Amino acid sequence: MKRVVIVHGWKGSPQENWLPYLKEELENLSVEIHVPQMPNPDFPVCSEWVNILKSLIINPDLGTFLVGHSLGIIAILRYLESLPEGNAVGGVVSVAGFSETLGIKEHESFFSIPINYDKVKRSCRKFVAFQSDNDYYVSMKNGEILRDRLGSELIIIKNAGHFCTRDGYEKMPLLLEKLKKML
């Protein structure tokens, strides 16, 4: 059985933005789905977020897929870094994701050491990144870094802001379509 774990972003929750939509659509496809409430979303600690992923994904395999919004992506990348050699997931979808510091104090624990991009690439078969050309938190440069360092497919959406409800993103049919192809 395929499984998907969706990770919300900083100050987020599983009930916000397009996450409930994606969860419901995947449940209709008989996919095992997890959308955890990450601990301390206002003052996140990287190790706590990674430990949640480790507790949900005990045996990662090519039938495992992860979707992250904003800070959720760096948590996913840190999780992938932690996998033993030879273990890999089927895919990762990034929405407004980033892998380099944005200079936000509350994110510091996620950037205490540089990302090992080679290890992350070996731990995942396919990467897809959605970026907006007018994101007020995460610049286009961040999507280009994911593309260049991870070989991610980069999908640029015009005027999508940070892909939040306030930007008109309670649903993301294109994300669902890409994820279905990966599954």
Side-chain angles (χ1 to χ4, degrees), residues 15-104:
Q15 294 80 37
E16 294 179 345
N17 307 317
W18 44 267
L19 282 70
Y21 157 79
L22 187 60
K23 179 181 186 282
E24 182 179 334
E25 292 294 323
L26 293 171
E27 286 172 340
N28 291 336
L29 297 174
S30 299
V31 172
E32 179 185 331
I33 179 86
H34 300 277
V35 191
Q37 174 63 58
M38 300 309 267
N40 304 310
D42 292 346
F43 300 97
V45 176
C46 182
S47 61
E48 292 176 354
W49 284 36
V50 170
N51 285 338
I52 292 292
L53 295 177
K54 287 179 178 180
S55 72
L56 287 174
I57 310 166
I58 296 169
N59 297 308
D61 58 24
L62 297 180
T64 303
F65 299 85
L66 298 109
V67 178
H69 181 232
S70 194
L71 188 68
I73 279 301
I74 188 67
I76 288 169
L77 298 180
R78 292 298 187 189
Y79 166 76
L80 293 174
E81 265 184 332
S82 77
L83 293 180
E85 284 297 328
N87 284 13
V89 300
V92 169
V93 179
S94 165
V95 179
F98 54 97
S99 59
E100 304 288 322
T101 184
L102 300 179
I104 297 171

XYZ file of all heavy atoms in Angstrom, residues 15-104:
694
model
N -5.016 21.372 9.576
C -6.344 21.844 9.155
C -6.288 23.090 8.282
O -7.326 23.659 7.965
C -7.217 22.139 10.386
C -7.575 20.916 11.202
C -6.449 20.469 12.125
O -5.725 21.276 12.687
N -6.290 19.163 12.274
N -5.117 23.522 7.889
C -4.991 24.782 7.155
C -4.651 24.581 5.682
O -4.112 23.545 5.284
C -3.889 25.643 7.782
C -4.206 26.113 9.170
C -3.082 26.941 9.761
O -1.951 26.938 9.244
O -3.356 27.611 10.757
N -4.960 25.632 4.937
C -4.568 25.750 3.533
C -5.117 24.583 2.719
O -6.275 24.219 2.865
C -3.049 25.913 3.420
C -2.540 27.053 4.293
O -3.138 28.115 4.334
N -1.466 26.816 5.024
N -4.314 23.966 1.895
C -4.725 22.900 0.987
C -4.521 21.510 1.594
O -4.834 20.500 0.955
C -3.942 23.013 -0.325
C -2.486 23.287 -0.075
C -1.893 24.525 -0.020
C -1.460 22.338 0.222
N -0.549 24.384 0.289
C -0.263 23.058 0.442
C -1.435 20.950 0.320
C 0.937 22.440 0.751
C -0.233 20.333 0.636
C 0.939 21.078 0.840
N -4.032 21.419 2.811
C -3.748 20.121 3.422
C -5.008 19.263 3.606
O -4.988 18.069 3.250
C -2.996 20.281 4.742
C -1.500 20.588 4.618
C -1.201 21.970 4.090
C -0.801 20.377 5.941
N -6.132 19.796 4.126
C -7.336 18.962 4.249
C -7.845 18.450 2.895
O -8.288 17.302 2.784
C -8.364 19.895 4.899
C -7.549 20.926 5.600
C -6.320 21.111 4.737
N -7.755 19.299 1.884
C -8.162 18.898 0.530
C -7.325 17.705 0.057
O -7.864 16.690 -0.414
C -8.004 20.078 -0.428
C -7.862 19.697 -1.881
C -8.975 19.356 -2.649
C -6.610 19.657 -2.496
C -8.847 18.999 -3.982
C -6.470 19.305 -3.820
C -7.588 18.974 -4.558
O -7.440 18.610 -5.873
N -6.009 17.822 0.177
C -5.133 16.751 -0.294
C -5.368 15.472 0.497
O -5.427 14.384 -0.074
C -3.667 17.185 -0.207
C -2.657 16.236 -0.823
C -2.914 16.026 -2.317
C -1.234 16.758 -0.607
N -5.529 15.593 1.795
C -5.798 14.427 2.644
C -7.067 13.704 2.182
O -7.076 12.493 1.991
C -5.933 14.857 4.101
C -6.248 13.714 5.060
C -6.385 14.242 6.498
C -6.557 13.129 7.496
N -7.901 12.584 7.540
N -8.138 14.456 1.978
C -9.412 13.855 1.563
C -9.295 13.178 0.191
O -9.777 12.063 -0.005
C -10.505 14.918 1.533
C -11.861 14.364 1.159
C -12.954 15.424 1.163
O -12.827 16.433 1.887
O -13.936 15.233 0.428
N -8.651 13.847 -0.742
C -8.494 13.276 -2.081
C -7.682 11.978 -2.041
O -8.003 11.014 -2.737
C -7.833 14.285 -3.019
C -8.691 15.485 -3.352
C -9.925 15.133 -4.170
O -9.843 14.244 -5.032
O -10.970 15.771 -3.938
N -6.637 11.947 -1.219
C -5.811 10.737 -1.123
C -6.546 9.614 -0.407
O -6.395 8.447 -0.760
C -4.484 11.053 -0.432
C -3.551 11.964 -1.234
C -2.364 12.390 -0.379
C -3.079 11.289 -2.510
N -7.355 9.952 0.586
C -8.172 8.933 1.257
C -9.119 8.279 0.264
O -9.359 7.072 0.331
C -8.951 9.549 2.423
C -8.085 9.855 3.615
C -8.795 10.645 4.701
O -9.837 11.291 4.420
O -8.287 10.637 5.831
N -9.648 9.065 -0.673
C -10.542 8.518 -1.706
C -9.816 7.560 -2.643
O -10.453 6.779 -3.335
C -11.181 9.647 -2.515
C -12.168 10.456 -1.701
O -12.720 9.971 -0.718
N -12.379 11.702 -2.092
N -8.473 7.629 -2.668
C -7.670 6.735 -3.511
C -7.152 5.527 -2.717
O -6.322 4.775 -3.218
C -6.473 7.494 -4.089
C -6.792 8.656 -5.015
C -5.512 9.396 -5.388
C -7.519 8.169 -6.263
N -7.631 5.387 -1.497
C -7.200 4.286 -0.615
C -5.704 4.324 -0.351
O -5.036 3.290 -0.310
C -7.613 2.929 -1.191
O -9.016 2.861 -1.294
N -5.185 5.522 -0.176
C -3.784 5.708 0.181
C -3.722 5.896 1.689
O -4.549 6.606 2.272
C -3.199 6.951 -0.537
C -1.813 7.287 -0.048
C -3.197 6.732 -2.043
N -2.756 5.256 2.332
C -2.541 5.498 3.763
C -2.001 6.922 3.903
O -1.013 7.271 3.275
C -1.527 4.496 4.314
C -1.220 4.675 5.780
C -0.113 3.745 6.251
O 0.052 2.637 5.694
O 0.596 4.142 7.187
N -2.663 7.714 4.727
C -2.308 9.130 4.805
C -2.106 9.559 6.251
O -2.861 9.160 7.124
C -3.390 9.992 4.109
C -3.099 11.475 4.184
C -4.755 9.744 4.631
C -2.216 11.937 3.091
N -1.063 10.326 6.461
C -0.776 10.897 7.779
C -0.534 12.391 7.598
O 0.246 12.799 6.738
C 0.477 10.273 8.395
C 0.380 8.808 8.585
N -0.231 8.232 9.678
C 0.806 7.778 7.812
C -0.175 6.917 9.573
N 0.448 6.615 8.450
N -1.213 13.187 8.424
C -1.005 14.629 8.427
C -0.821 15.038 9.894
O -1.759 15.485 10.550
C -2.188 15.395 7.784
C -1.819 16.861 7.569
C -2.602 14.761 6.467
N 0.377 14.857 10.413
C 0.578 15.094 11.845
C 0.597 16.575 12.204
O 0.994 17.423 11.398
C 1.959 14.480 12.103
C 2.672 14.632 10.795
C 1.605 14.425 9.740
N 0.157 16.849 13.420
C 0.372 18.172 13.991
C 1.804 18.172 14.507
O 2.141 17.420 15.409
C -0.605 18.456 15.140
C -0.325 19.760 15.877
C -0.471 20.988 14.986
O -1.531 21.222 14.418
N 0.592 21.768 14.872
N 2.637 18.976 13.916
C 4.028 19.024 14.341
C 4.126 19.793 15.659
O 3.378 20.737 15.892
C 4.901 19.661 13.262
C 4.864 18.906 11.930
S 5.168 17.135 12.065
C 6.920 17.088 11.787
N 5.053 19.375 16.533
C 5.153 20.008 17.844
C 5.681 21.447 17.764
O 6.504 21.763 16.904
C 6.138 19.115 18.604
C 6.859 18.328 17.569
C 5.982 18.268 16.364
N 5.186 22.260 18.660
C 5.656 23.648 18.788
C 5.752 24.363 17.443
O 6.825 24.844 17.075
C 7.016 23.685 19.486
C 6.993 22.996 20.829
O 6.128 23.277 21.640
N 7.919 22.085 21.047
N 4.653 24.465 16.686
C 4.752 25.058 15.348
C 5.202 26.511 15.339
O 5.771 26.969 14.350
C 3.350 24.903 14.773
C 2.457 24.705 15.950
C 3.287 24.055 17.010
N 4.980 27.242 16.429
C 5.425 28.640 16.469
C 6.916 28.762 16.760
O 7.558 29.717 16.323
C 4.641 29.425 17.527
C 3.170 29.597 17.156
O 2.820 29.352 15.982
O 2.385 29.962 18.037
N 7.450 27.807 17.526
C 8.874 27.780 17.878
C 9.405 26.374 17.615
O 9.744 25.641 18.537
C 9.083 28.198 19.342
C 8.599 29.577 19.625
C 7.341 29.796 20.175
C 9.386 30.664 19.308
C 6.880 31.080 20.406
C 8.933 31.967 19.543
C 7.678 32.165 20.094
N 9.471 25.970 16.348
C 9.793 24.585 15.998
C 11.238 24.211 16.320
O 12.136 25.049 16.250
C 9.545 24.539 14.489
C 9.758 25.948 14.034
C 9.294 26.816 15.164
N 11.402 22.932 16.652
C 12.728 22.363 16.908
C 12.919 21.232 15.905
O 12.121 20.290 15.864
C 12.845 21.851 18.361
C 14.182 21.174 18.591
C 12.627 22.999 19.343
N 13.955 21.321 15.108
C 14.182 20.375 14.028
C 14.122 18.925 14.505
O 13.440 18.102 13.913
C 15.519 20.672 13.348
S 15.869 19.601 11.944
N 14.839 18.596 15.563
C 14.888 17.200 16.013
C 13.501 16.688 16.392
O 13.181 15.522 16.138
C 15.853 17.052 17.192
O 15.431 17.843 18.290
N 12.654 17.533 16.958
C 11.300 17.110 17.312
C 10.481 16.796 16.060
O 9.740 15.815 16.013
C 10.593 18.188 18.136
C 11.186 18.382 19.515
C 10.522 19.521 20.288
O 9.660 20.252 19.722
O 10.873 19.686 21.472
N 10.615 17.642 15.047
C 9.863 17.420 13.810
C 10.366 16.161 13.103
O 9.573 15.354 12.621
C 9.946 18.643 12.904
C 9.070 19.788 13.340
C 8.790 20.163 14.623
C 8.357 20.683 12.496
N 7.958 21.248 14.623
C 7.680 21.603 13.334
C 8.261 20.830 11.122
C 6.879 22.625 12.826
C 7.474 21.864 10.619
C 6.781 22.738 11.458
N 11.673 15.975 13.043
C 12.232 14.781 12.402
C 11.811 13.529 13.170
O 11.473 12.500 12.564
C 13.763 14.885 12.272
C 14.375 13.562 11.836
C 14.134 16.001 11.284
N 11.782 13.600 14.490
C 11.363 12.439 15.283
C 9.912 12.064 15.025
O 9.572 10.877 15.037
C 11.615 12.682 16.771
C 13.080 12.569 17.124
O 13.864 11.934 16.415
N 13.471 13.185 18.230
N 9.061 13.040 14.781
C 7.669 12.732 14.410
C 7.652 11.942 13.103
O 6.953 10.930 12.976
C 6.824 14.024 14.276
C 6.640 14.700 15.629
C 5.487 13.751 13.597
C 5.776 13.954 16.620
N 8.437 12.373 12.126
C 8.490 11.661 10.847
C 9.035 10.252 11.040
O 8.505 9.287 10.475
C 9.314 12.446 9.830
C 8.718 13.793 9.420
C 9.648 14.536 8.471
C 7.338 13.615 8.805
N 10.066 10.101 11.848
C 10.630 8.766 12.108
C 9.601 7.857 12.778
O 9.547 6.661 12.480
C 11.869 8.873 12.985
C 13.085 9.420 12.272
C 14.258 9.504 13.235
C 15.507 10.001 12.559
N 16.638 10.088 13.502
N 8.776 8.411 13.658
C 7.773 7.585 14.346
C 6.639 7.176 13.406
O 6.038 6.120 13.590
C 7.219 8.317 15.570
O 6.374 9.388 15.199
N 6.354 7.991 12.410
C 5.297 7.673 11.444
C 5.785 6.760 10.325
O 5.011 5.983 9.774
C 4.751 8.956 10.818
C 3.872 9.826 11.692
C 3.543 11.129 10.975
C 2.592 9.091 12.067
N 7.054 6.889 9.967
C 7.600 6.146 8.827
C 8.684 5.211 9.360
O 9.876 5.486 9.263
C 8.190 7.103 7.769
C 7.197 8.213 7.431
C 8.575 6.326 6.507
C 7.802 9.370 6.658
N 8.242 4.110 9.914
C 9.184 3.183 10.546
C 9.998 2.428 9.499
O 11.195 2.230 9.660
C 8.436 2.230 11.492
C 7.826 3.062 12.636
C 9.366 1.144 12.024
C 6.866 2.343 13.501
N 9.349 2.027 8.420
C 10.036 1.302 7.345
C 9.890 2.071 6.033
O 9.042 1.744 5.211
C 9.462 -0.113 7.196
C 9.689 -0.945 8.433
O 10.808 -1.048 8.921
N 8.625 -1.516 8.968
N 10.717 3.091 5.816
C 10.599 3.858 4.573
C 10.914 2.986 3.361
O 11.802 2.130 3.415
C 11.640 4.968 4.741
C 12.595 4.470 5.754
C 11.840 3.520 6.636
N 10.138 3.178 2.308
C 10.363 2.412 1.085
C 9.887 3.237 -0.107
O 9.440 4.374 0.059
C 9.653 1.059 1.149
C 8.152 1.170 1.360
O 7.561 2.220 1.018
O 7.552 0.216 1.868
N 9.977 2.668 -1.292
C 9.607 3.403 -2.499
C 8.105 3.631 -2.622
O 7.665 4.349 -3.520
C 10.170 2.702 -3.734
C 11.705 2.632 -3.781
C 12.170 1.926 -5.045
C 12.327 4.012 -3.673
N 7.317 3.053 -1.713
C 5.887 3.318 -1.649
C 5.542 4.438 -0.681
O 4.375 4.703 -0.419
N 6.570 5.095 -0.152
C 6.405 6.199 0.794
C 6.651 7.518 0.074
O 7.657 7.661 -0.619
C 7.401 6.065 1.967
O 7.217 4.796 2.598
C 7.210 7.175 2.980
N 5.729 8.461 0.278
C 5.826 9.774 -0.358
C 5.589 10.846 0.695
O 4.772 10.668 1.593
C 4.814 9.894 -1.498
C 5.050 8.868 -2.561
C 4.523 7.590 -2.444
C 5.840 9.156 -3.664
C 4.772 6.625 -3.399
C 6.097 8.190 -4.626
C 5.566 6.920 -4.498
N 6.322 11.931 0.575
C 6.204 13.019 1.540
C 5.881 14.314 0.816
O 6.422 14.575 -0.268
C 7.507 13.169 2.323
C 7.872 11.942 3.147
C 9.052 11.236 2.530
C 8.178 12.317 4.565
N 4.995 15.096 1.421
C 4.601 16.384 0.883
C 4.809 17.400 1.987
O 4.378 17.189 3.123
C 3.117 16.401 0.450
C 2.714 17.774 -0.073
C 2.843 15.317 -0.585
N 5.481 18.501 1.679
C 5.719 19.502 2.702
C 5.416 20.899 2.216
O 5.614 21.221 1.050
N 4.927 21.698 3.148
C 4.683 23.112 2.879
C 5.686 23.939 3.663
O 5.824 23.764 4.885
C 3.261 23.493 3.283
C 2.922 24.925 3.014
N 2.404 25.755 3.970
C 3.035 25.678 1.883
C 2.199 26.953 3.446
N 2.575 26.935 2.188
N 6.435 24.773 2.974
C 7.336 25.734 3.586
C 8.342 25.049 4.514
O 9.130 24.219 4.052
C 6.502 26.803 4.297
O 7.288 27.910 4.633
N 8.322 25.337 5.813
C 9.275 24.745 6.752
C 9.141 23.220 6.796
O 10.101 22.520 7.113
C 9.084 25.330 8.157
C 10.129 24.932 9.192
C 11.489 25.531 8.860
C 9.678 25.340 10.588
N 7.974 22.703 6.430
C 7.792 21.249 6.381
C 8.792 20.583 5.462
O 9.202 19.436 5.695
N 9.234 21.283 4.431
C 10.208 20.698 3.499
C 11.569 20.528 4.138
O 12.218 19.495 3.972
C 10.291 21.529 2.201
C 9.134 21.152 1.299
C 11.596 21.306 1.443
C 9.064 19.686 0.901
N 12.023 21.501 4.873
C 13.341 21.337 5.498
C 13.285 20.194 6.517
O 14.252 19.438 6.655
C 13.879 22.664 6.097
C 15.324 22.527 6.568
C 13.017 23.165 7.195
C 16.336 22.318 5.478
N 12.157 20.018 7.201
C 12.011 18.877 8.111
C 12.100 17.567 7.330
O 12.757 16.614 7.761
C 10.687 18.969 8.865
N 11.465 17.521 6.164
C 11.513 16.321 5.321
C 12.946 16.061 4.845
O 13.418 14.926 4.872
C 10.525 16.450 4.144
C 9.085 16.333 4.657
C 10.822 15.416 3.058
C 8.024 16.707 3.633
N 13.632 17.103 4.416
C 15.010 16.927 3.952
C 15.904 16.420 5.091
O 16.752 15.539 4.883
C 15.559 18.222 3.366
C 14.834 18.772 2.140
C 15.481 20.069 1.672
C 14.772 17.748 1.018
N 15.711 16.944 6.286
C 16.490 16.468 7.442
C 16.138 15.021 7.769
O 17.007 14.231 8.143
C 16.267 17.369 8.652
C 16.845 18.762 8.508
C 18.347 18.728 8.347
N 18.910 20.083 8.364
C 20.152 20.358 8.076
N 20.994 19.394 7.730
N 20.587 21.587 8.099
N 14.872 14.650 7.612
C 14.471 13.253 7.794
C 15.194 12.363 6.779
O 15.754 11.322 7.142
C 12.951 13.107 7.660
C 12.516 11.685 7.492
C 12.492 10.810 8.579
C 12.166 11.192 6.245
C 12.126 9.490 8.414
C 11.793 9.879 6.078
C 11.780 9.022 7.161
O 11.423 7.701 6.985
N 15.191 12.774 5.511
C 15.854 11.981 4.468
C 17.346 11.826 4.758
O 17.915 10.761 4.530
C 15.640 12.605 3.094
C 14.206 12.594 2.557
C 14.112 13.366 1.258
C 13.678 11.176 2.401
N 17.965 12.869 5.264
C 19.382 12.809 5.644
C 19.627 11.756 6.715
O 20.694 11.158 6.761
C 19.816 14.150 6.246
C 20.449 15.105 5.338
C 20.917 16.338 6.099
O 20.342 16.712 7.136
O 21.897 16.926 5.626
N 18.640 11.546 7.571
C 18.803 10.630 8.705
C 18.632 9.159 8.331
O 18.946 8.289 9.140
C 17.802 10.983 9.814
O 16.494 10.511 9.501
N 18.134 8.876 7.133
C 17.889 7.486 6.750
C 19.199 6.721 6.579
O 20.175 7.265 6.049
C 17.096 7.423 5.443
C 15.663 7.942 5.478
C 15.021 7.803 4.093
C 14.835 7.213 6.531
N 19.214 5.464 6.997
C 20.407 4.650 6.755
C 20.653 4.484 5.255
O 19.712 4.489 4.455
C 20.042 3.303 7.384
C 18.896 3.579 8.300
C 18.177 4.756 7.733
N 21.908 4.354 4.887
C 22.249 4.134 3.476
C 21.452 2.944 2.942
O 21.294 1.939 3.626
C 23.746 3.873 3.299
C 24.602 5.112 3.415
C 24.340 6.177 2.356
O 23.971 5.836 1.209
O 24.491 7.362 2.692
N 20.959 3.079 1.725
C 20.188 2.012 1.104
C 18.687 2.170 1.284
O 17.918 1.529 0.578
N 18.250 2.997 2.220
C 16.823 3.267 2.401
C 16.450 4.492 1.588
O 17.191 5.471 1.562
C 16.492 3.529 3.870
C 16.470 2.274 4.699
O 16.917 1.224 4.262
N 15.964 2.378 5.901
N 15.288 4.420 0.938
C 14.839 5.546 0.121
C 13.320 5.570 0.068
O 12.674 4.520 0.176
C 15.413 5.454 -1.293
N 12.780 6.772 -0.124
C 11.349 6.945 -0.325
C 11.097 7.164 -1.813
O 12.012 7.485 -2.572
C 10.799 8.112 0.519
C 11.036 7.871 2.011
C 11.367 9.450 0.088
N 9.825 7.022 -2.203
C 9.474 7.147 -3.612
C 9.495 8.560 -4.140
O 9.831 8.790 -5.299
N 9.131 9.529 -3.289
C 9.115 10.899 -3.778
C 8.799 11.916 -2.717
O 8.259 11.592 -1.658
N 9.143 13.154 -3.049
C 8.869 14.307 -2.191
C 8.294 15.411 -3.062
O 8.822 15.688 -4.144
C 10.156 14.809 -1.487
C 9.931 16.163 -0.825
C 10.657 13.791 -0.479
N 7.223 16.024 -2.571
C 6.655 17.199 -3.224
C 6.806 18.373 -2.267
O 6.352 18.323 -1.127
C 5.175 17.007 -3.601
C 4.624 18.276 -4.254
C 4.994 15.806 -4.511
N 7.452 19.409 -2.751
C 7.699 20.624 -1.986
C 6.754 21.715 -2.464
O 6.634 21.945 -3.668
C 9.158 21.057 -2.211
O 9.367 22.369 -1.790
N 6.116 22.392 -1.521
C 5.270 23.536 -1.839
C 5.823 24.729 -1.057
O 5.819 24.718 0.177
C 3.792 23.284 -1.471
C 2.946 24.508 -1.801
C 3.260 22.050 -2.186
N 6.347 25.715 -1.777
C 6.973 26.890 -1.149
C 8.082 26.456 -0.208
O 8.267 27.014 0.859
C 5.936 27.755 -0.425
N 8.819 25.441 -0.622
C 9.864 24.890 0.230
C 11.191 25.606 0.076
O 11.415 26.356 -0.866
N 12.053 25.341 1.037
C 13.391 25.912 1.008
C 14.340 24.992 1.751
O 13.929 24.206 2.600
C 13.407 27.323 1.616
C 12.832 27.408 3.004
C 13.660 27.373 4.109
C 11.466 27.537 3.202
C 13.143 27.460 5.392
C 10.934 27.624 4.478
C 11.767 27.588 5.578
N 15.608 25.080 1.395
C 16.624 24.235 2.028
C 17.786 25.049 2.567
O 18.736 24.501 3.103
C 17.138 23.197 1.025
O 17.699 23.850 -0.098
N 17.708 26.350 2.402
C 18.725 27.274 2.915
C 18.022 28.244 3.856
O 16.857 28.582 3.648
C 19.389 28.035 1.758
C 20.004 27.150 0.682
C 21.270 26.450 1.132
O 22.056 27.077 1.871
O 21.466 25.286 0.758
N 18.730 28.712 4.856
C 18.116 29.585 5.850
C 17.478 30.819 5.227
O 17.991 31.383 4.259
C 19.138 30.003 6.925
O 18.448 30.771 7.917
C 20.278 30.804 6.350
N 16.349 31.208 5.804
C 15.684 32.455 5.426
C 16.031 33.557 6.423
O 15.519 34.668 6.324
C 14.163 32.256 5.385
C 13.616 31.203 4.421
C 12.111 31.115 4.535
C 14.052 31.477 2.999
N 16.860 33.223 7.406
C 17.253 34.201 8.411
C 16.201 34.435 9.486
O 16.238 35.445 10.181
N 15.278 33.491 9.632
C 14.220 33.609 10.648
C 14.702 32.916 11.919
O 15.024 31.722 11.902
C 12.904 32.987 10.125
C 12.430 33.772 8.891
C 11.844 32.968 11.216
C 11.261 33.147 8.154
